[in-house]
Each structure stands twice: as structure tokens, then as C-alpha cells.
Amino acid sequence: MSLKSGSEDRRSYLQDSYPSSAAFDVIHSSLQSDDAGRKDAVKQANAIFAFKLKNKEGQEEAWNIDLKEKGAVTKGEAPEGKKANGESCPCPNLTLSLSDEDFGKLVAGKTQAQKLFMSGKLKIKGDVMKATKMEPVLKKAQTKAKL
């Protein structure tokens, strides 16, 4: 497991057509600036979370948060994973599909994932139980993101 600090990594995940994508910058920065916190998040979650956001124009983009090995955010579809025996496995463990607006509300703490899911605004594919492991990471973004 590689958990090297990426403090020198200054890339931005913000896209103007997806205002809530600023949260991915905050999450990435939070993970990279706190080595112990990143290691703990990886230990607790042990999963890769994919987010597919749809903007007001109907376009869809993807981001993923690797809390299985790296403790980092990447843009695009989640890469293929590997099992302990070297076989490939489907990744991510969990995919959350929702609107950019609803993701912004979720990260800002203005709505709850359960409410979005029950109203059909949040689609979940994969290991639903892993969704609870994402909460501490989103909480960090709530306190820092300006959405």
C-alpha cells in the first residue's frame, strides 16, 4: 500500500461547468495535507468511491476518491483494481450518481445522502454499506469548501 504524501501535487479538479467540483479540490487537499488522517481514512474506508455528476446542461463528468490505496482524488473513471492474488476486480467499490447541484448541497451539509437516495436524486451502484465510510471525508470538505 502506497500512501506517499502528495503535498507537492497542486492539480485542480475544479471545472467551471460543475461548481461543486471545488469540493474535490478540498477533499484532495485535506487528504494530502494530513498524512495520519489520510492513512486513517484509507484504513477505515478501504474502498474506491466514484462520483458521476450531471450539470445543468445535462453533461456528465466523473471523479473518484481512492481510499483503498492512495488516499487521493483523481478525475475521470476509476481505474481497474487488483485483488490480493493479482486478479483484476471491478472498481470502484461504490458509484454515486447525482446532479452537480445536489452534490454541492450534500458536501455543504444542506441535505443528506439518505434523503437524496429516497427521493431518487442519488443513484448508488455497488457496495452500499461502503457509503457510510465516505461520511468522515465529506465532513472535512463541509468545513472547508465554499460552495
Side-chain angles (χ1 to χ4, degrees), residues 92-106:
N93 300 84
L94 181 69
T95 300
L96 300 120
S97 300
L98 66 164
S99 74
D100 177 67
E101 181 180 1
D102 286 332
F103 180 68
K105 289 176 184 176
L106 181 64

Side-chain angles (χ1 to χ4, degrees), residues 71-85:
V73 174
T74 55
K75 175 85 176 62
E77 300 291 327
E80 189 75 14
K82 298 281 183 196
K83 292 182 182 178
N85 65 4

Side-chain angles (χ1 to χ4, degrees), residues 69-137:
E69 294 179 0
K70 298 176 186 170
V73 174
T74 55
K75 175 85 176 62
E77 300 291 327
E80 189 75 14
K82 298 281 183 196
K83 292 182 182 178
N85 65 4
E87 293 178 24
S88 63
C89 64
C91 273
N93 300 84
L94 181 69
T95 300
L96 300 120
S97 300
L98 66 164
S99 74
D100 177 67
E101 181 180 1
D102 286 332
F103 180 68
K105 289 176 184 176
L106 181 64
V107 172
K110 295 178 181 173
T111 191
Q112 296 175 334
Q114 184 178 8
K115 183 178 177 183
L116 291 173
F117 180 76
M118 297 303 273
S119 65
K121 294 180 178 182
L122 169 64
K123 308 265 190 284
I124 299 175
K125 180 180 173 187
D127 186 350
V128 178
M129 296 308 292
K130 290 285 187 184
T132 60
K133 305 294 185 180
M134 190 67 219
E135 189 175 345
V137 174

